[in-house]
Amino acid sequence: MSTGRDPGLQPERTRLAWRRTLLTVTVVTVLAVRLASNGEPAGALIAGGTVLVWGALLMLCWPRGTGTGPARTGGRTLPLVTAGTVLLALLGVLLVLRGLG
């Protein structure tokens, strides 16, 4: 009986999950920038904040999605991606509230 670990397709599924996460964040960023860019300073701030959060999430997700990142990051990646997602949601709420006013 072999004592080695057989990961099967798990690494590929993990890479695909990170790629889907990055694609989703990119689509949300493009839509938010499109909605926020109407020439007003508040819209420019929201769009800029969205792009900054996207850039941070890109730096976190890219190595994992391409398989070039470390397998273990000490458990920091997922909480940071969660924080970025919450920030994008808050920027979305600001965008909606700005549109209602």
Side-chain angles (χ1 to χ4, degrees):
M1 204 179 228
S2 174
T3 59
R5 182 174 178 270
D6 179 20
L9 294 176
Q10 186 226 348
E12 182 179 0
R13 288 192 307 266
T14 300
R15 281 192 305 274
L16 290 172
W18 282 105
R19 286 179 186 172
R20 282 191 307 270
T21 300
L22 187 54
L23 178 63
T24 302
V25 168
T26 301
V27 168
V28 167
T29 300
V30 168
L31 291 174
V33 168
R34 182 174 175 220
L35 288 173
S37 60
N38 61 357
E40 294 180 12
L45 285 174
I46 293 172
T50 303
V51 170
L52 286 175
V53 172
W54 173 79
L57 289 174
L58 177 68
M59 288 177 21
L60 286 171
C61 295
W62 186 262
R64 302 290 225 126
T66 59
T68 59
R72 303 253 182 230
T73 58
R76 292 180 304 242
T77 302
L78 192 57
L80 289 174
V81 170
T82 302
T85 303
V86 169
L87 280 173
L88 283 177
L90 290 174
L91 288 168
V93 168
L94 286 174
L95 190 61
V96 168
L97 291 176
R98 187 183 65 90
L100 295 177

